[in-house]
């Protein structure tokens, strides 16, 4: 394996930052007359758009923006300050003031035109102008993602959003809720361009992906989504719930020569109400067909790996799905309450009820959470983690076996789940009958010089056997194995009682098999901890998913490591688990991540400035040196956060270390010690900088920073009248020869005669604290 390197970059950072010329800033709370820079933002979003050119980015701070905006054909990225933060999205509001469509994208914009991270509300569309209430896309193909589109209305079509004309727009990961249309498509309306004589001028082909479409209403058809005419729309991984149509298609309507593909969605609790239509011949009561999905004179549409549940239609005509006119629809690997017999099909329509369809209770997590219950693990949006249920949905691993499933976390049964979270990181996990264990990512105790990894229970398979502890050793190999050594005395050959005292929380046992004087070479570990005392049996059924069965420690010599490959001897997939006093050969386990890399070295860059003076007295006013760490390559460790640890290894310079600041880049402050006499704390400080991921991986490098004596402006190592002369020059308006912060001796933020007074005191031998 090619060894990864750590790039150690030392740069001198100026105190004044310069905003990129391609970034324009907007802030509703800024002072009037701004120029769009970070320090002087525009007040209005449209002003920022007007000033932008293709490729620019317009960044909008949280606030209320009462305006209607138009991208004007510009392929720019318009975003909130953090489109991934739900709090930022909900607090960065574009309010249309019921004066028209809030956002218009109708001048040939491409996928490079991006709108993300906003709450878009209070829009009002009509036939007289842009028909949509929230967002109107016409003959353009932008990317609209990570927005809340809510509380918009139209007297025409597309209460929340309309995509019309020649468009391949990507509408992704939006919450589209509580919008209304007096025409079609309460949440989303899609339609190509039709000529005066009904001819198709252009076809719309948008992709609706991973959206949450809830609580929208349409007077006519398609309470949630309406694919109307001249379009080939795709909707996947979306939740469509509690939408209402006045006539047909409470959740989704597909009609008039439309070919739609509905792949891996959850369509639940929608309603097709039906309504009375006044004709010249009298009032006609029309039945509301298709509570979940209505197809009407449509082409060869497809529904695959989709969950229907709890949808209702007037008079129960096709509560879940209806086909009218000569509609054609293929349904496969989907959940249909009532089965094929419950689908309403008119005489000219064609239904292909293909393989894999079922009729079961999905076992949603709750009335408001449409993740599937699982004993092996279900994603909980409220915590952002997986929890374990007492039941497991039959719709796990029930999607189309021909579709991709690799995005689902292990164990995934090598098959996609049915519903909106199939083939996503939020897919519920497969509850396997045999027990499932895995090797956990390695963690680093860089102070003690120890590395450990956990053997983790993923699913106990419902076993009730009494088990005590592992009875097999572990091996480690890989390009980085040379960086490992025999465990130090605090680990090697200690008794369980000794180990429990030193590293509490685990009962400890020693490896008696294969331990020898050459253990450093053969890779055997010296000891391991486990979750039960050797004298106390425990039921495997009591060990919930995520519990650590055993923790393996080994020593680390501090060198940089490539990958480490771990295996559990005798624990190959399909082999019996070897527990003391227990034979589980009849329940062969699955070991996931076995013989896989458990450590991959991070690739980072590190930049730091030099101190230009030592700090003054007090605590909060101590001078600080920021060390900026950027993770260039996570190298497959799947980390979501990192910790930067700095340890002083030598040198006379006295430093402390501030709190870790998360994010990317990571910033960690080095804080100078207080000055107590004329020499203490001055000189170089040698540092070890270690970056670790929350899931695995490590990077380490060294650095030396110079801590200077207070008043040493020119950094020659002494405080002399030459420093005073330099300060005099600056106080007389002459250009500085050194970094401007060097002249601010007392750290009050400005260069003034008070600095000269402090320097005089130092030159006269006065101790300054």
């Amino acid at each position: 394996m090619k060894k990864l390197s750590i790039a150690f970059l030392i740069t001198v950072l100026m105190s004044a930052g310069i905003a990129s010329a391609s970034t324009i800033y907007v802030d509703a709370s800024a002072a009037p007359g701004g120029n769009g820079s970070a320090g002087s933002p525009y007040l209005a979003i449209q002003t920022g758009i007007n000033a932008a050119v293709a490729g620019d980015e317009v960044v909008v701070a949280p606030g209320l923006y009462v305006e209607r905006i138009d991208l004007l054909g510009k392929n720019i990225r318009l975003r909130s300050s953090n489109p991934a933060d739900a709090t930022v999205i909900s607090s960065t509001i574009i309010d249309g003031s019921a004066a028209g469509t809030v956002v218009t994208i109708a001048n040939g914009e491409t996928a490079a035109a991006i709108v993300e991270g906003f709450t878009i509300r209070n829009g009002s569309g009509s036939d007289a102008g842009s028909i949509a209430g929230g967002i109107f896309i016409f003959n353009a193909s932008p990317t609209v993602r990570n927005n809340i589109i809510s509380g918009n209305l139209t007297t025409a079509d597309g209460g929340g959003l309309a995509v019309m004309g020649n468009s391949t727009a990507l509408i992704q990961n939006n919450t589209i809720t509580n919008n209304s249309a007096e025409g079609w498509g309460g949440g989303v309306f899609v339609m190509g361009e039709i000529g005066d004589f009904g001819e198709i001028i252009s076809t719309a082909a948008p992709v609706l992906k991973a959206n949450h479409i809830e609580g929208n209403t349409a007077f006519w058809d398609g309470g949630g989504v309406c694919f109307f005419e001249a379009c080939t729309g795709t909707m996947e991984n979306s939740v469509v719930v509690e939408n209402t149509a006045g006539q047909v298609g409470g959740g989704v309507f597909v009609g008039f020569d439309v070919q739609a593909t509905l792949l891996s969605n959850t369509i639940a609790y929608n309603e097709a109400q039906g309504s009375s239509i006044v004709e010249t011949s009298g009032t006609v009561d029309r039945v509301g067909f298709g509570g979940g999905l209505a197809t009407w004179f449509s082409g060869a549409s497809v529904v695959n790996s989709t969950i229907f549940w709890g949808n209702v239609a007037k008079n129960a005509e096709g509560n879940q799905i209806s086909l009218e006119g000569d509609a054609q629809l293929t349904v496969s690997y989907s959940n249909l309450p009532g089965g094929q017999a419950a689908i309403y099909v008119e005489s000219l329509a064609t239904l292909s009820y293909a393989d894999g369809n079922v009729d079961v209770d999905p076992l949603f997590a709750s009335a408001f959470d449409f993740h599937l219950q699982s004993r092996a693990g279900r994603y909980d949006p409220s915590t952002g983690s997986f929890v374990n249920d007492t039941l497991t949905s039959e719709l796990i691993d029930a999607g189309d076996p021909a579709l991709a499933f690799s995005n689902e976390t292990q164990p995934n049964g090598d098959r996609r789940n049915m519903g909106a979270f199939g083939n996503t990181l939020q897919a519920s996990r497969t509850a396997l009958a045999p027990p499932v264990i895995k090797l956990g990512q390695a963690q680093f105790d860089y102070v003690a010089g120890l590395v450990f990894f956990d053997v983790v229970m993923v699913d106990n398979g419902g076993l009730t056997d009494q088990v005590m502890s592992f009875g097999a050793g572990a091996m480690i190999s890989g390009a980085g194995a040379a960086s490992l050594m025999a465990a130090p005395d605090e680990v090697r050959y200690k008794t369980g009682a000794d180990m429990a005292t030193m590293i509490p929380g685990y009962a400890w046992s020693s490896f008696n098999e294969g331990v020898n004087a050459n253990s450093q070479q053969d890779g055997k570990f010296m000891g391991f901890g486990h979750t039960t005392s050797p004298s106390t049996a425990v039921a495997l059924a009591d060990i919930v998913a995520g519990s650590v069965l055993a923790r393996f420690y080994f020593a680390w010599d501090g060198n940089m490591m490539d990958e480490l490959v771990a295996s559990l001897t005798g624990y190959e997939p399909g082999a019996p688990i070897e527990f003391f006093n227990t034979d589980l050969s009849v329940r062969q386990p699955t070991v996931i991540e076995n013989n896989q890399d458990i450590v991959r070295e991070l690739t980072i860059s590190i930049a730091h400035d030099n101190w230009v003076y030592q700090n003054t007295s007090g605590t909060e006013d101590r001078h600080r040196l920021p060390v900026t760490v950027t993770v260039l390559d996570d190298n497959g460790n799947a980390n979501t956060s990192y910790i930067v640890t700095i340890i002083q290894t030598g040198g006379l310079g006295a430093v402390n270390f501030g709190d870790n600041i998360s994010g990317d880049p990571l910033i960690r402050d080095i804080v100078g010690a207080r000055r107590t006499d004329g020499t203490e704390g001055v000189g170089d400080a040698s540092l070890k900088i270690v970056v670790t991921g929350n899931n695995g991986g490590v990077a380490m490098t060294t650095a030396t920073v110079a801590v200077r004596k207070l008043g040493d402006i020119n950094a020659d190592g002494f405080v002399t009248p030459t420093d005073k002369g330099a300060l005099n020059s600056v106080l007389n308006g002459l250009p500085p020869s050194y970094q401007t912060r060097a002249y601010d001796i007392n750290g009050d933020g400005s260069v003034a005669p008070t600095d000269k007074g402090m320097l005089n005191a130092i030159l006269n031998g006065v101790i300054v604290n």
Side-chain angles (χ1 to χ4, degrees), residues 12-15 609-613 708 713 730 736-744 751:
V12 178
L13 306 178
M14 302 302 292
S15 59
D609 202 352
N610 277 325
W611 267 304
V612 291
Y613 50 79
R708 299 178 185 172
I713 294 174
V730 174
S737 301
Y738 313 102
Q739 295 185 39
T740 55
R741 287 177 292 173
Y743 303 94
D744 179 17
V751 180

Side-chain angles (χ1 to χ4, degrees), residues 412-439:
N412 59 27
D414 293 338
R415 182 170 169 179
R416 176 182 293 219
N417 290 354
M418 196 182 291
F421 304 104
N423 196 34
T424 74
L425 294 175
Q426 296 186 21
S428 297
R429 293 168 176 164
T430 304
L432 302 175
V436 180
I437 61 175
K438 72 175 181 179
L439 302 182

Side-chain angles (χ1 to χ4, degrees), residues 10 23 31 98 131 146 167 236 282 329 340 378 381 389 417 464 514 552 562:
I10 302 179
T23 303
I131 70 167
N146 300 330
S167 174
E236 58 182 304
L329 181 67
Q340 180 176 359
R378 163 183 54 82
D389 301 301
N417 290 354
T464 58
F552 294 89
D562 290 326

